[in-house]
């Protein structure tokens, strides 16, 4: 083989290793940042969640130290923080005011931080598991959503069967759900929560067993379920324009696009296991935390 041909083969091999795939011709998938990230463990499931503030910051949450990495949109690391703060990082979100929310699943805690890592609020009782009636303790919480008035909704979650409603200051308000089961209005393995334009809670339930979305009023009234979505493992949940929802289907290695209870598009063939996902409101780009790639990986999904 000539040197010229060999060089071309090497270039295309490297390109294939860098570019992720999708069978959807309307999207392009590319690696984000500079993986493997510094001090990564080398294990899978290391990079577990991602968030975007819509103003240019992309936050990556991982199970290495430091756990929080803040990038700009070009993928350049701007800051890192959170060393030794968490037991089991699971989810990260940025609210409309730019505050950072992090779920410490096996630490039984949910935290609010500034973008620089200053802790402002803590919910839960560290290291203590509560049952479905507890007002002060979770059992492996999985996600958080912040309402327009600042109220806090915690998906709780892996071992409990509820969403817990707090005031913006962290005062307990109510328990939503709390009944285990797979019937409409019951919860089993709650993994995500979002709030739509009408103020309804959209809850990702049945994470690894018959995943579905359930719709609830903030007053705790069950409205309906969206069960025929063809999900195999419903993980990440994020809302885009016009109440369009993007669901990371981890086992299927896809992102499903859902509106009004039906699938309207599928971003498939990702060759990645999307766990939590984020939408950059400033660009429309999606970001997925890939739990398959050893050492950690975030991928950017852009519409062509």
């Amino acid at each position: 083989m000539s040197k010229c041909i060999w060089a071309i083969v090497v270039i295309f091999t490297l390109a294939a290793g860098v570019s992720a795939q999708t069978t959807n011709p309307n999207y392009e998938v590319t690696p984000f940042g500079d993986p493997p990230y510094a001090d990564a463990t080398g294990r899978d499931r290391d990079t577990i969640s991602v968030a975007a503030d819509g103003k240019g910051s992309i936050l990556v949450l991982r199970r290495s130290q430091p756990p929080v990495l803040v990038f700009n949109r070009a993928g350049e690391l701007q800051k890192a923080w959170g060393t030794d703060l968490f037991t089991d990082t699971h989810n990260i979100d940025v609210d409309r005011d730019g505050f950072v929310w992090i779920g410490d699943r096996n630490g039984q805690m949910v935290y609010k931080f500034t973008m620089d890592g200053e802790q402002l609020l803590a919910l839960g009782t560290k290291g203590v598991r509560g049952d479905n009636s507890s007002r002060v303790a979770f059992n492996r919480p999985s996600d958080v959503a912040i309402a327009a008035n600042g109220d806090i909704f915690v998906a709780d979650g892996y071992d409990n069967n509820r969403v817990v409603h707090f005031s913006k200051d962290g005062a307990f308000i109510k328990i939503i759900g709390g009944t285990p089961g797979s019937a409409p209005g019951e919860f089993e393995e709650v993994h995500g929560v979002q709030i739509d334009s009408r103020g309804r809670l959209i809850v990702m339930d049945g994470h690894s067993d018959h995943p579905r979305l359930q719709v609830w009023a903030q007053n705790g009234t069950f409205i309906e379920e969206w069960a025929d979505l063809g999900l195999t493992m419903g993980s990440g949940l994020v809302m885009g324009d016009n109440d369009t929802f993007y669901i990371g289907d981890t086992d299927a290695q896809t992102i499903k696009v859902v509106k009004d209870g039906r699938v309207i598009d599928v971003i498939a063939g990702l060759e990645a296991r999307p766990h939590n996902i984020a939408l950059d409101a400033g660009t429309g780009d999606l970001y997925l935390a890939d739990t398959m790639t050893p050492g950690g990986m975030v991928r950017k999904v852009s519409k062509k």
Side-chain angles (χ1 to χ4, degrees):
M1 184 183 292
S2 72
K3 290 183 178 179
C4 180
I5 295 174
W6 177 252
I8 291 172
V9 170
V10 170
I11 289 170
F12 276 95
T13 301
L14 290 173
V18 168
S19 299
Q21 304 294 316
T22 176
T23 55
N24 190 320
N26 298 316
Y27 292 87
E28 179 181 30
V29 184
T30 54
F32 177 76
D34 187 21
Y37 303 120
D39 301 323
T41 63
R43 301 171 301 177
D44 62 357
R45 299 178 181 265
D46 184 88
T47 302
I48 197 67
S49 188
V50 62
D53 69 352
K55 299 176 182 178
S57 293
I58 311 299
L59 292 80
V60 174
L61 184 68
R62 60 188 191 154
R63 290 169 174 163
S64 301
Q65 303 297 338
V68 182
L69 306 178
V70 183
F71 295 87
N72 61 20
R73 286 181 176 136
E76 299 164 337
L77 184 63
Q78 305 297 294
K79 63 186 78 170
W81 50 267
T83 297
D84 297 330
L85 288 182
F86 311 108
T87 301
D88 176 39
T89 50
H90 181 267
N91 50 283
I92 187 168
D93 296 279
V94 180
D95 67 23
R96 59 178 45 79
D97 296 316
F99 296 113
V100 180
W101 296 81
I102 294 177
D104 186 352
R105 183 178 56 175
N106 287 325
Q108 315 299 345
M109 297 293 293
V110 172
Y111 297 99
K112 177 183 179 181
F113 297 94
T114 66
M115 191 65 73
D116 294 320
E118 178 189 354
Q119 183 180 313
L120 302 175
L121 183 67
L123 299 173
T125 305
K126 191 172 182 62
V128 175
R129 297 189 177 207
D131 61 17
N132 277 319
S133 65
S134 177
R135 300 184 173 197
V136 297
F138 304 121
N139 199 343
R140 306 183 78 211
S142 58
D143 199 15
V144 62
I146 309 302
N149 67 352
D151 279 7
I152 306 158
F153 294 86
V154 176
D156 178 41
Y158 271 92
D159 289 336
N160 277 339
N161 315 92
R162 61 185 188 161
V163 174
V164 189
H165 182 185
F166 300 90
S167 73
K168 64 180 180 180
D169 300 317
F172 172 84
I173 294 178
K174 74 170 78 66
I175 292 166
I176 297 170
T179 300
S182 58
E186 299 174 343
F187 284 138
E188 55 177 358
E189 205 170 8
V190 181
H191 198 270
V193 60
Q194 291 281 295
I195 300 173
D196 72 8
S197 65
R198 289 182 274 178
R200 304 181 306 174
L201 302 176
I202 311 298
V203 182
M204 179 77 250
D205 184 44
H207 166 48
S208 58
D209 185 18
H210 304 101
R212 58 184 174 168
L213 294 182
Q214 295 204 53
V215 184
W216 292 71
Q218 290 189 25
N219 65 7
T221 300
F222 171 75
I223 299 173
E224 62 179 339
E225 74 170 13
W226 303 341
D228 298 322
L229 304 177
L231 295 167
T232 59
M233 187 179 205
S235 295
L237 176 67
V238 68
M239 187 178 77
D241 294 337
N242 302 314
D243 288 351
T244 300
F245 293 90
Y246 298 87
I247 303 172
D249 190 338
T250 306
D251 284 353
Q253 299 187 25
T254 67
I255 294 175
K256 291 198 170 179
V257 188
V258 174
K259 183 172 174 59
D260 297 326
R262 64 185 185 90
V263 177
I264 61 172
D265 204 356
V266 179
I267 308 169
L270 291 172
E271 298 182 8
R273 289 174 56 81
H275 185 245
N276 286 338
I277 58 178
L279 176 70
D280 185 345
T283 64
D285 292 332
L286 291 165
Y287 294 83
L288 68 91
D290 177 13
T291 58
M292 181 168 67
T293 303
M297 173 69 81
V298 169
R299 304 185 190 273
K300 182 169 75 171
V301 182
S302 305
K303 245 185 176 176
K304 294 181 179 177

